[in-house]
Amino acid sequence: MSKISYFFGKLTTLISIYYIKFVYKTSKIVSTGQYKLLKADNDEKFIVVFWHGDSYSLYPYLSGQGLYVITTNNGRGDYINLICNHFGYKTIRVPDESEGGNFLFKIRRQINGPSCANLTITLDGPLGPYHQPKRFPFITAVLTKRKVLPLTIKCKRKIQLSGRWDKFVIPLPFNKIELHVYDPLKITKKDLENEAIYIREQVLKIME
């Protein structure tokens, strides 16, 4: 990456940080469901799942709660890392799912270690397809012995980038943003059988 590309990438990232903070400051934020489970002082920790296209809208929501965020090792992950650091999140850098590796054990060590905290994972992964749950969050839940906590977000006024695979959502200022945290789901090894089709379908029903 050239210095010029890095400069403009970082500048864009800073603009996106302050824009989403302005959106939250000027909007009505409504939390429903099991929001209390996401607090840093809650004893039980979870694997929090949401759609990739909603990720930008969520950044200020849990600012200061110290949670972990999964992001990739590529250039895109570098900018996400900057945003996460600003909002007080801790990133765990992993390769794209196609590369494999023992990163699952790295994740378990970090999130269950001294800085134990909730872990967020995009349900449809870093590459899609759109709103098709991947196995990775459920495998992680079983390996870390945590429940899955689904979260959805609805923005009354938004721009949706239909040209992107995730239909990326950019909320507008002076908005109403509703966030709903569903009841936690316990995932077992049996749920992972047959490509975890059953549990993926159940979570899809909840979040759609």
Side-chain angles (χ1 to χ4, degrees), residues 92-94 102-111:
I92 302 176
R93 308 294 295 271
V94 301
N102 62 355
F103 55 85
L104 276 169
F105 298 99
K106 172 187 174 183
I107 292 170
R108 182 174 66 179
R109 285 194 303 270
Q110 286 194 241
I111 69 172

Side-chain angles (χ1 to χ4, degrees), residues 140-158:
T140 306
V142 171
L143 185 67
T144 58
K145 298 181 180 179
R146 294 188 178 195
K147 295 176 183 175
V148 166
L149 196 64
L151 186 160
T152 55
I153 180 168
K154 292 181 180 179
C155 303
K156 186 175 181 180
R157 300 172 59 246
K158 63 188 178 184

